[in-house]
Amino acid sequence: MSQELKNKNLRTRAKIIADIRAFFAARDVIEVETPLLSHGTITDPHIQAIPAFFKQDLSSEQITTVYLQTSPEYAMKRLLSEGIGSIYQICKAFRQGEKGKYHNPEFTMIEWYRVGFDHHDLMQEMDELLQAVIKTKPALKLSYAEMFEKYLGINPHKASEKELIQCAQKNKIDLASHLSDRDAWLSLLMSHCIEPKLGPEEPVFIYDFPASQAALAKIRSDKLASRFELYYKGIELANGFHELSDAKEQRKRFDADLAYRFENNLPVVPVDERLLTALEKGLPDCAGVALGIDRLIMLALSQEKIQAVLSFDFANA
Amino acid sequence: MASYTTNEIRGGMKVMIDNDPCLILENEFVKPGKGQAFNRIRFRNLKTGRVVERTYKSGDSIEAADVVDVEAQYLYNDGNHRHFMATESYEQYQMTETEVGEAGLWLKEQGECTLTLWNGTPLAVAPSIFVTLKIVETDPGVRGDTSGGGGKPAKLESGAVVRVPLFVQEGEVIKVDTRTGEYVSRVKE
């Protein structure tokens, strides 16, 4: 890509980020900064943190492993539990091994939390943000179940693993690997058969995920997770939750993640105990979401690769 | 043989899939923010030529294939086989007409080419990008036409038929782009 075009993209990037800040300033959501390096890290088996090594004493052999954040979620929740109110942050996040045309191992995200919102309120606000900043049409909303029904004609909550496998075969997915669980099959179908078709005209919110894919969302009495994702032009842009605030339940999910990691030879990482302490203290009822800014800018500029909107991508960093 | 994990695989690498040597065309990393990551890998089976897209769980590995490209010279056709000699090692190789495929239309004795070897046996041959070949058959052109518009078919000594401008005559030597099969220029011998 020519430097001239790159410079033009970077100017648009600056404008979009400035517009996002103005959007939140007008709504009294305050900007915060939290540490990029942390002692604890994410347990989600599908997200790996990039470790770094800290030395108390430069001449000593003793090192402490710390982790570059994969998102600012835990630290922001700690601020929320201290009563700060609604907050946002624009920051770098880092993920091990994630490199591709829509992935750079170091990327920029905006994450925000709204006290007193549930996931539907937050989808509404996010839609307003997109319309204001990149001039999208009003977004559509589909539940996870409606989405599978619409694109594949199956019920993702009730279909057996065998039916999911048959569905993948019917849709000519040639899979070389063994998948160990039902959620992996859902993920396969979603990324191969559905995602590319989502949101060609207007952004689409997908909400109410299976409880087994709740991550840090509340699970309701109807066994659905109050989680949503945003897709636009076939690309995932955001993931949000009506946030889980139950410390005991949170510890249970962390433990389950670590057990899965142990069984699958993934790093068994230190849990963020400070987050759990904050949840015990009390997280206000809130919803939060993380949006990939690089992808948002990429789509606003009709670019096909994330590298087109980065000053220097990972290969050139 | 070594193996590559899905994250290491790039276009141009040669790997073993379904016991056949394959050329990687594209490797797309597909990863939802939350959930299983996959790599969608497009490859060409170097034995059958078939292009396939297959999905792997990220982190899985694929065995590398002992496939190398060597510079070679085309020697002759004995009626059953085409014979080649590697420029560096002087090692000789033979291939059937089927194995040679369309590349055969561009091969001239003593001409340069590239042999793709798998475990030491030739899988494919590729002619040089530009070859110079003599026209052995073409209709006489219209005198005075120098535009090149339209053109006419001309049969070359290697067997290929290309379109040439009307002013180009039988017996002349021309330069051809073998990637497109298009006439480039006349060559003074």
Side-chain angles (χ1 to χ4, degrees):
Chain A
M1 138 173 290
S2 76
Q3 194 54 49
E4 197 184 334
L5 187 56
K6 176 63 86 65
N7 287 345
K8 188 177 146 274
N9 288 352
L10 294 180
R11 277 193 288 274
T12 305
R13 180 185 178 101
K15 168 85 168 70
I16 288 174
I17 293 176
D19 289 349
I20 293 173
R21 288 203 157 96
F23 178 89
F24 286 110
R27 293 174 179 228
D28 266 335
V29 178
I30 64 161
E31 181 166 11
V32 296
E33 279 186 284
T34 55
L36 293 182
L37 280 176
S38 171
H39 296 275
T41 187
I42 190 165
T43 55
D44 186 325
H46 299 301
I47 299 178
Q48 311 308 330
I50 300 180
F53 305 106
F54 177 77
K55 276 189 176 185
Q56 184 73 50
D57 175 357
L58 290 183
S59 61
S60 150
E61 293 295 300
Q62 194 124 25
I63 53 165
T64 308
T65 303
V66 286
Y67 299 88
L68 286 163
Q69 69 173 6
T70 59
S71 92
E73 180 156 12
Y74 296 175
M76 289 179 82
K77 284 183 175 168
R78 287 171 62 196
L79 288 175
L80 288 161
S81 75
E82 298 294 339
I84 194 167
S86 294
I87 50 176
Y88 80 95
Q89 174 161 209
I90 294 174
C91 61
K92 284 293 180 73
F94 304 82
R95 293 188 185 177
Q96 190 68 280
E98 299 197 4
K99 199 160 85 63
K101 63 180 174 177
Y102 305 142
H103 295 81
N104 198 58
E106 167 182 346
F107 60 102
T108 303
M109 63 164 53
I110 171 163
E111 180 144 334
W112 78 94
Y113 290 86
R114 286 299 229 141
V115 175
F117 277 30
D118 68 8
H119 60 311
H120 289 282
D121 300 328
L122 195 57
M123 281 185 254
Q124 177 62 37
E125 181 165 71
M126 184 162 224
D127 190 12
E128 288 162 20
L129 173 75
L130 294 172
Q131 290 184 46
V133 173
I134 64 162
K135 313 284 178 262
T136 48
K137 294 181 191 165
L140 303 175
K141 280 169 87 171
L142 273 181
S143 73
Y144 188 84
E146 286 167 346
M147 172 184 75
F148 268 86
E149 188 60 51
K150 178 175 173 183
Y151 292 97
L152 293 172
I154 53 171
N155 181 325
H157 304 301
K158 296 199 172 124
S160 65
E161 189 166 330
K162 199 175 150 203
E163 285 168 309
L164 298 178
I165 294 168
Q166 282 167 349
C167 183
Q169 284 164 347
K170 206 176 81 193
N171 285 280
K172 307 217 162 25
I173 302 176
D174 183 351
L175 181 73
S177 310
H178 170 75
L179 298 183
S180 53
D181 56 85
R182 209 176 156 273
D183 284 311
W185 283 102
L186 289 170
S187 197
L188 179 81
L189 291 170
M190 172 97 186
S191 58
H192 285 62
C193 307
I194 302 177
E195 212 177 303
K197 295 179 189 156
L198 291 176
E201 296 296 326
E202 51 276 280
V204 185
F205 286 103
I206 306 300
Y207 62 96
D208 288 359
F209 279 67
S212 53
Q213 298 178 28
L216 274 69
K218 275 187 203 296
I219 296 174
R220 305 191 305 260
S221 54
D222 57 7
K223 300 282 181 232
L224 294 176
S226 295
R227 174 184 159 199
F228 69 93
E229 285 195 335
L230 172 70
Y231 291 87
Y232 185 37
K233 297 184 183 174
I235 293 169
E236 180 192 340
L237 277 182
N239 179 73
F241 308 128
H242 189 192
E243 301 290 347
L244 175 66
S245 54
D246 179 340
K248 260 198 191 144
E249 167 68 15
Q250 184 66 73
R251 186 178 289 279
K252 229 172 76 188
R253 292 192 200 172
F254 282 168
D255 287 347
D257 283 348
L258 291 180
Y260 182 97
R261 281 176 169 265
F262 182 75
E263 279 163 30
N264 290 275
N265 284 320
L266 292 165
V268 178
V269 292
V271 163
D272 192 334
E273 289 294 339
R274 295 186 173 103
L275 169 71
L276 293 168
T277 307
L279 294 182
E280 275 159 22
K281 189 171 174 208
L283 182 75
D285 185 46
C286 65
V289 64
L291 166 72
I293 287 192
D294 308 302
R295 289 188 188 174
L296 180 75
I297 296 166
M298 176 184 91
L299 293 181
L301 285 165
S302 303
Q303 295 290 323
E304 292 187 344
K305 291 181 176 175
I306 199 171
Q307 289 76 14
V309 302
L310 302 175
S311 56
F312 302 104
D313 63 58
F314 185 65
N316 294 295
Chain B
M1 200 77 202
S3 62
Y4 306 114
T5 68
T6 52
N7 296 332
E8 295 170 316
I9 285 172
R10 311 254 173 283
M13 283 181 170
K14 280 112 176 176
V15 296
M16 293 299 296
I17 299 175
D18 299 337
N19 300 316
D20 279 346
C22 297
L23 171 71
I24 301 290
L25 301 176
E26 205 185 347
N27 178 9
E28 188 185 352
F29 179 58
V30 183
K31 165 87 174 74
K34 315 250 174 227
Q36 181 65 54
F38 297 103
N39 288 69
R40 293 176 83 159
I41 297 183
R42 239 162 44 86
F43 58 89
R44 177 183 294 118
N45 182 314
L46 291 172
K47 280 175 85 174
T48 64
R50 226 158 63 87
V51 172
V52 176
E53 182 178 286
R54 191 166 290 180
T55 297
Y56 289 78
K57 210 159 73 171
S58 290
D60 280 5
S61 44
I62 305 179
E63 193 190 336
D66 179 17
V67 171
V68 287
D69 287 340
V70 298
E71 292 308 309
Q73 198 179 51
Y74 168 53
L75 299 176
Y76 61 93
N77 186 346
D78 70 7
N80 293 319
H81 290 95
R82 300 248 198 173
H83 294 259
F84 303 87
M85 182 178 71
T87 318
E88 212 159 278
S89 66
Y90 301 113
E91 193 82 36
Q92 289 201 23
Y93 300 96
Q94 60 177 39
M95 293 172 81
T96 64
E97 206 57 45
T98 320
E99 287 168 338
V100 168
E102 288 200 359
L105 293 173
W106 306 108
L107 295 176
K108 181 171 75 167
E109 290 185 7
Q110 267 70 55
E112 287 173 5
C113 57
T114 305
L115 284 181
T116 302
L117 302 177
W118 172 46
N119 293 334
T121 50
L123 270 178
V125 57
S128 302
I129 292 174
F130 296 106
V131 293
T132 55
L133 293 162
K134 185 185 258 180
I135 297 176
V136 294
E137 199 184 315
T138 190
D139 288 337
V142 181
R143 188 166 293 277
D145 181 280
T146 54
S147 68
K152 60 182 179 179
K155 190 172 179 198
L156 307 178
E157 57 180 315
S158 58
V161 176
V162 297
R163 286 200 81 77
V164 299
L166 297 178
F167 60 80
V168 177
Q169 303 300 333
E170 198 168 294
E172 286 191 290
V173 176
I174 61 166
K175 184 171 165 184
V176 183
D177 185 334
T178 60
R179 292 169 301 186
T180 56
E182 280 169 14
Y183 164 89
V184 178
S185 64
R186 278 195 289 190
V187 178
K188 291 269 177 295
E189 270 191 306

